[in-house]
Amino acid sequence: MDFNFNVPINVISGKGCVRENSACLSPLGRKCIIVTGGSSAKKSGALEDVLYALKKEGVESVLYDGIGPNPRLDHCFEAAEKARKFGADFVIGIGGGSPLDAAKAVAVYAANPDFTLYDIYSSEKRNRALPIVLIGTTAGTGSEVGKVSVLSDPVTGRKKSIAPMDCFPCLTYADATYTHSMPYDITVSTALDALAHAIEGYMSVKCTDIPALFGEKAVDLIWQGLTYLYSAKRNPDEEMREKLYYGSLYAGITLAYCGTAFPHPLGYILTENYGIPHGKACTAFTDDFIDRAEIHEKAKTDRLLSIMNTDKESFKAIIRELTALPEIKMSEDEILSYCSRYGTVPNNFIFSPGGFTKEDAVEIFRRKFV
């Protein structure tokens, strides 16, 4: 058995946890930068709670709220410059996956004033990132409990991730009430993203006993939420919101250990070129993934379907309806151009059950979109 396990995060959960545990912020420094998107931090009440907690502890703060969907390198770089000028000792990220991922990049850039824009992808020696505090407002990425930060090139629009150990947050506040302000479509898309993390990580050849336990718990909770969203066609109640949120955190831990599989890099194509939200872009390929998983990891596939109390075809039908892609047409030249990026085979391919190749990707795009 493989019982190796290390998640270097202090997670504090529950309603009101930010205000009630403000003292956890004091050891991190006397100044911080808060990194958010345009509205969710305010609408959810999370920003108000954070400002209250910082004031209570005598910590000064400055706000950067320019992070959009699929966070751009240049915006993270700009926020880091603001953090350095302010003298920030740590970074607080509030929001969905984009602001949380951005906060990690800001922490790296801020600690390395000599970095150029693309140096963040370098594995060369650098200063340790500033301490990171994360507070999620969606039930999707699980970025609050992971080290991965997916960033977009401002020139090409391509998404590429970093995952250094110092991008694990040192502190996460997990309060499901911050997810209550999400509209229905975002609730669906983020839940689909969380399910993709759980299933792809669970089926990964890297998955060992501990992340498998988190993956199974994640699938149980998230599937309850998704079937509710599928049948009710409206936002869930408080209890179901909580299941979806903590399901996304369980999935986030599986993701932190195992990474994702081929649906994620294929999904990037749909997000970058067709504006499909990340969660739905990934689950556009979940039917292909579960078919391959059944061939190469039948026992694990049967186990997951059993946990969800469904069969494969019913599972695929629900995922397809919730994903609900608009009509997408690709030419042969476009497909070959998109897949040229897989000349260097990504780990998502290597760790997929049975392996995955550039040629497999081309075949799937042809079948779905030509």
Side-chain angles (χ1 to χ4, degrees):
M1 296 182 68
D2 186 338
F3 204 77
N4 296 335
F5 188 58
N6 176 30
V7 180
I9 314 168
N10 178 21
V11 179
I12 301 175
S13 66
K15 188 173 182 178
C17 61
V18 174
R19 289 177 178 249
E20 293 171 6
N21 296 276
S22 61
C24 295
L25 297 168
S26 295
L28 302 179
R30 308 318 302 162
K31 290 185 175 183
C32 76
I33 183 168
I34 302 172
V35 177
T36 75
S39 61
S40 68
K42 294 178 182 177
K43 288 181 180 178
S44 65
L47 179 59
E48 180 182 352
D49 287 349
V50 167
L51 292 174
Y52 171 90
L54 291 172
K55 183 176 181 181
K56 183 178 178 182
E57 300 304 321
V59 179
E60 298 179 57
S61 65
V62 65
L63 177 67
Y64 183 90
D65 59 1
I67 302 300
N70 309 304
R72 289 170 35 167
L73 286 172
D74 54 336
H75 293 163
C76 298
F77 195 85
E78 181 180 74
E81 289 183 328
K82 188 171 186 178
R84 282 197 298 272
K85 288 179 182 178
F86 183 65
D89 300 306
F90 62 102
V91 179
I92 298 180
I94 309 174
S98 293
L100 301 190
D101 282 9
K104 297 171 187 178
V106 172
V108 174
Y109 280 132
N112 293 274
D114 296 331
F115 264 24
T116 61
L117 195 64
Y118 296 100
D119 285 341
I120 198 166
Y121 294 123
S122 172
S123 60
E124 296 178 5
K125 186 176 180 180
R126 62 168 173 78
N127 297 328
R128 182 176 179 83
L130 296 184
I132 304 164
V133 179
L134 297 181
I135 301 158
T137 62
T138 65
T141 67
S143 187
E144 304 97 309
V145 292
K147 61 182 177 177
V148 176
S149 173
V150 182
L151 307 166
S152 294
D153 188 310
V155 178
T156 66
R158 285 193 174 185
K159 299 171 75 170
K160 185 177 179 181
S161 63
I162 61 171
M165 287 299 292
D166 59 347
C167 278
F168 269 116
C170 63
L171 174 63
T172 288
Y173 290 110
D175 186 340
T177 60
Y178 296 145
T179 69
H180 291 186
S181 59
M182 283 193 299
Y184 175 80
D185 196 52
I186 294 177
T187 301
V188 171
S189 184
T190 54
L192 289 170
D193 188 22
L195 185 73
H197 292 160
I199 291 178
E200 292 174 35
Y202 184 79
M203 291 296 180
S204 170
V205 298
K206 293 177 65 179
C207 189
T208 55
D209 294 343
I210 298 298
L213 291 174
F214 283 100
E216 291 182 2
K217 182 68 172 178
V219 166
D220 178 23
L221 294 173
I222 297 165
W223 189 247
Q224 290 182 53
L226 282 172
T227 51
Y228 176 89
L229 294 167
Y230 168 76
S231 59
K233 303 293 190 295
R234 57 184 170 84
N235 266 331
D237 60 17
E238 183 174 341
E239 180 182 0
M240 193 61 72
R241 286 280 195 194
E242 188 168 90
K243 288 182 177 181
L244 282 168
Y245 180 65
Y246 287 107
S248 76
L249 297 188
Y250 281 112
I253 293 174
T254 302
L255 171 67
Y257 271 84
C258 307
T260 55
F262 73 78
H264 265 70
L266 268 58
Y268 291 169
I269 301 296
L270 299 186
T271 298
E272 294 165 5
N273 298 283
Y274 301 93
I276 306 301
H278 172 71
K280 294 184 177 183
C282 293
T283 53
F285 304 96
T286 296
D287 52 353
D288 302 281
F289 182 75
I290 204 72
D291 284 341
R292 292 176 70 96
E294 187 178 44
I295 295 170
H296 300 287
E297 292 284 352
K298 186 171 184 348
K300 293 182 77 173
T301 305
D302 290 345
R303 169 69 177 160
L304 279 189
L305 292 171
S306 172
I307 290 170
M308 292 185 285
N309 193 29
T310 190
D311 60 85
K312 188 181 75 167
E313 294 309 315
S314 297
F315 167 79
K316 289 164 63 174
I318 291 173
I319 294 299
R320 278 196 298 267
E321 180 165 328
L322 288 173
T323 300
L325 288 183
E327 184 177 24
I328 294 174
K329 295 294 185 183
M330 299 180 185
S331 69
E332 180 71 10
D333 287 344
E334 285 174 327
I335 289 172
L336 294 177
S337 175
Y338 296 152
C339 294
S340 64
R341 67 202 289 175
Y342 307 136
T344 302
V345 181
N347 287 337
N348 316 69
F349 285 14
I350 296 169
F351 298 135
S352 296
F356 196 78
T357 66
K358 173 183 173 181
E359 290 70 32
D360 292 327
V362 170
E363 189 277 328
I364 287 177
F365 278 117
R366 282 174 178 159
R367 176 162 42 80
K368 286 184 175 294
F369 304 119
V370 170

